[in-house]
Amino acid sequence: MLIKRVALIVLSGALIVSCAKKSEPVADTRYVKVFVAGNSVAQTRSTFHGVIHAEFEPNLSFRVGGKIIKRNVDIGQQVISGQILASLDPTDYKLSADSANAQLASAKSNYVTQKANLERYKQLLAQNFVSQAQYDTQKAQFDSAKAQYEQAENQLSNNENQVKYTTLKAPSDGVITLTNMDAGQVVTAGQTVATMGVSGNKEVEVELPEAQINNYKAGMPADIKIWATNKDYKGKIRIINQASDQQTRTFTTRIVITNPSDDIKYGMAADATVEPLNATNGMEMPLSCLYAKDGKSYVWVMDNNSLAKLVPVELIGTDGTSMKVRATGIKNGDKVVSAGTNFIYAGQKLAVYTN
């Protein structure tokens, strides 16, 4: 019985001691990935996607209408100045030219006759064999014959030109970028049947958003990346359209490549990066570092005690994967949380997650 009492007393004492000890709380540590802020200071630049074009791209058409009897070029074909691209049936135009030639011969014969008669009347007038009125009548007939002769000459020249216009020739050296014709097709005068890129400067055509149009001007430098050639080039803005596209509300802009290579082809995709007029210096870091709260931008920084600190930043720009920010509270070497920003609170213990 005594033994049972002693055991009960010992057990009670142990229980009291156990209750007297307070349990240590488990530290609330959040594992995160971090980005070390360094000298990655960059300026805000905008990248626009575009396509390679020639500086001059004339639409080609016949100056007369008719039926195409021959097409000599295809898309992508290199042509030289004066090369025949296509031909119309010239039969009707040659007939008109032959008729005009006959009319010219008749008008010339009449002109020569009236000229000789006028010369005789001039001599007769000097000898008083004809009156002044008779001479004036002959002079009027001569002037009419002369006018008809000149008109016939012009008509023949016009008809001969129309015969020449049945042949479409390349206005300069270049590449055919579009064809809209084939043998047997009937076209009208001025109807576009082909487009060519004139040899010379190669440009990137991009579309500037309406909200950014005043940030750029002609002559500004640009960095160009052509993915097909995997090369980088230099360029400058040549012209900015001052009227927006009615459907897209964007402004077509041409950026000329100042150091092109021979392997650049028309139609290739290209990216043009330009620094706007209002560019601002900032620190570059992953976009995943951004933490938004109450409509403001912040980043989480791990301080020297590995505690979370919320630092406000000003977002300058982003390209979809990285961002440029301006923040006075971040210096080189600071650890900025790049993953797990939505699960952190101020003062929380942080640890760097490693695989």
Side-chain angles (χ1 to χ4, degrees), residues 107 111 141-154:
Y111 168 72
Q141 292 177 356
F142 167 76
D143 290 342
S144 176
K146 181 180 180 181
Q148 291 176 1
Y149 175 56
E150 292 176 347
Q151 181 183 7
E153 281 186 321
N154 294 335

Side-chain angles (χ1 to χ4, degrees), residues 309-346:
K309 181 176 65 173
L310 193 61
V311 177
V313 297
E314 179 185 350
L315 182 62
I316 300 174
T318 176
D319 60 6
T321 57
S322 63
M323 63 178 180
K324 280 86 175 179
V325 299
R326 181 166 50 218
T328 57
I330 302 176
K331 60 182 182 299
N332 292 338
D334 282 351
K335 296 178 180 179
V336 182
V337 177
S338 60
T341 56
N342 292 326
F343 306 99
I344 302 173
Y345 58 84

Side-chain angles (χ1 to χ4, degrees), residues 3-19:
I3 294 175
K4 289 183 178 180
R5 288 181 178 177
V6 172
L8 185 59
I9 294 172
V10 171
L11 184 60
S12 299
L15 206 55
I16 293 172
V17 172
S18 176
C19 293

